[in-house]
């Protein structure tokens, strides 16, 4: 892999992991509420992505139309809102693991529903990932909040659907900017429904960093390297995100990693890796 591709891929994964850390620290250590955080994140992401698209697009080909679709925007909003509300009660590591597991399981389930047959190893990996998820969610002292876990898995499912809807997009930067923009009024409605919103100055800064840098710039970097990565490598490299989030939580947020979380992480990430590896295995006639 060329050094430039490796460097930008690493930066994208760090940006994705930073989203979990920024959400967690904002909602645990500042007074900003999750609805306001979601709104600011989407607005700042839309602004930065739009600016990047304008800089990338030649003047004579620019249009004023908003790309994307309302269905994709709704999936994006459900992901962003569920992500923020879930971090009221989850650690950065647990949230990232649940999110990543839900995204991959959703995409696997859709592939099977569309008629894709799973090999023995893919089925084994899928069952191992589900077993790891069960271990994490079983009642106990170190079990995550079930409300937070449900919200994060809903967010992961929504992001999985959003990703599937974006496959084959010819101009992902333009489409993503449009979807972020379309999701903003949904976040406004969410703030009105929730009420008691509070814009904490430090929390607003974290939300802008999450939306503008970790989301907007992170997605832009990721889209720039995707054409140079084989599909298998692009899928596998994302296994690093929950690990990076866990390390960041320990270093920056003084979070601890329980034995239960460690075992669940090995099972979930290992199972998903087996499924991804199984896609490259020769299919019997």
């Amino acid at each position: 892999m060329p050094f430039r591709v490796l460097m930008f891929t690493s930066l994208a994964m760090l940006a994705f992991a930073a989203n979990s850390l920024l959400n967690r620290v904002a909602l645990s250590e500042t007074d900003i509420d999750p609805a306001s955080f979601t709104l600011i994140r989407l607005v700042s992401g839309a602004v930065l992505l739009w600016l990047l698209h304008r800089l990338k697009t030649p003047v004579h080909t620019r249009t004023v139309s908003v790309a994307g679709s309302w269905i994709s925007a709704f999936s994006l909003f459900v992901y962003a809102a569920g992500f923020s509300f879930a971090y009221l009660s989850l650690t950065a590591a647990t949230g990232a693991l649940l999110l990543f597991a839900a995204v991959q399981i959703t995409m696997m389930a859709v592939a099977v529903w569309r008629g894709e047959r799973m090999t023995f190893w893919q089925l084994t990996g899928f069952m191992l990932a589900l077993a790891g998820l069960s271990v994490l969610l079983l009642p106990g002292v170190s079990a995550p909040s079930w409300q937070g876990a449900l919200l994060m898995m809903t967010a992961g499912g929504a992001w999985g659907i959003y990703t599937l809807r974006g496959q084959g997009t010819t101009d992902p930067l333009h489409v993503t900017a449009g979807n972020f923009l379309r999701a903003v009024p949904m976040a406004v409605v969410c703030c009105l429904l929730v009420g008691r919103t509070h814009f904490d100055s430090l929390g607003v800064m974290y939300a802008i960093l999450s939306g503008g840098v970790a989301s907007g710039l992170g997605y832009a970097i990721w889209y720039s390297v995707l054409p140079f990565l084989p599909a298998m490598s692009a899928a596998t490299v994302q296994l690093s995100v929950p690990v990076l989030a866990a390390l960041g939580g320990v270093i920056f947020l003084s979070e601890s990693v329980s034995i239960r979380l460690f075992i669940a992480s090995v099972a979930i990430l290992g199972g998903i890796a087996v499924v991804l590896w199984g896609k490259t295995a020769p299919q019997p006639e």
Side-chain angles (χ1 to χ4, degrees):
M1 182 185 296
F3 176 75
R4 186 171 180 272
V5 174
L6 178 62
M7 180 182 67
F8 281 113
T9 300
S10 301
L11 284 175
M13 295 306 103
L14 287 171
F16 294 161
N19 253 330
S20 292
L21 299 177
L22 289 167
N23 268 258
R24 176 59 178 161
V25 71
L27 296 169
S28 63
E29 298 184 14
T30 76
D31 292 329
I32 194 170
D33 63 281
S36 299
F37 188 96
T38 300
L39 174 60
I40 297 169
R41 180 186 177 189
L42 289 172
V43 170
S44 56
V47 170
L48 183 66
L49 286 165
W50 181 81
L51 288 173
L52 289 172
H53 170 69
R54 298 286 287 184
L55 290 172
K56 177 185 175 184
T57 308
V59 176
H60 65 278
T61 61
R62 291 177 182 174
T63 63
V64 294
S65 61
V66 178
S69 71
W70 287 106
I71 295 176
S72 293
F74 180 71
S75 298
L76 176 64
F77 163 71
V78 172
Y79 150 72
F83 190 80
S84 293
F85 278 92
Y87 269 124
L88 286 173
S89 55
L90 298 178
T91 64
T94 302
L97 181 62
L98 286 169
L99 177 77
F100 183 82
V103 170
Q104 295 298 321
I105 289 172
T106 298
M107 296 179 71
M108 293 175 201
V110 170
V112 172
W113 179 73
R114 288 176 175 175
E116 183 177 318
R117 296 179 61 186
M118 298 184 78
T119 65
F120 169 78
W121 286 110
Q122 283 180 302
L123 185 60
T124 301
F126 187 69
M127 296 306 295
L128 180 61
L130 288 179
L133 195 59
S134 299
V135 168
L136 181 64
L137 298 177
L138 281 174
V141 175
S142 58
S145 156
W146 69 267
Q147 297 98 328
L150 182 60
L151 282 168
M152 189 59 82
M153 287 190 290
T154 301
W159 184 253
I161 293 170
Y162 180 82
T163 302
L164 289 168
R165 287 184 56 83
Q167 287 180 336
T169 301
T170 56
D171 191 353
L173 195 59
H174 190 200
V175 170
T176 306
N179 286 329
F180 263 75
L181 186 60
R182 291 173 188 266
V184 168
M186 303 177 194
V188 172
V189 172
C190 179
C191 286
L192 294 175
L193 290 176
V194 170
R196 301 192 306 276
T197 56
H198 190 273
F199 292 90
D200 175 274
S201 58
L202 188 57
V204 168
M205 183 190 73
Y206 287 137
I208 293 173
L209 288 173
S210 176
V213 180
S215 296
L217 196 57
Y219 298 161
I221 293 172
W222 181 233
Y223 291 142
S224 72
V225 297
L226 271 179
F228 303 99
L229 292 174
M232 177 65 178
S233 299
T236 306
V237 74
Q238 294 179 75
L239 293 171
S240 64
V241 175
V243 178
L244 291 171
L247 290 174
V250 171
I251 295 170
F252 299 109
L253 305 179
S254 300
E255 295 179 350
S256 60
V257 178
S258 65
I259 296 297
R260 180 201 290 248
L261 178 61
F262 177 77
I263 293 172
S265 298
V266 171
I268 292 171
L269 300 181
I272 292 171
V274 170
V275 172
L276 296 173
W277 170 83
K279 288 183 178 180
T280 63
Q283 299 291 328
E285 293 286 341

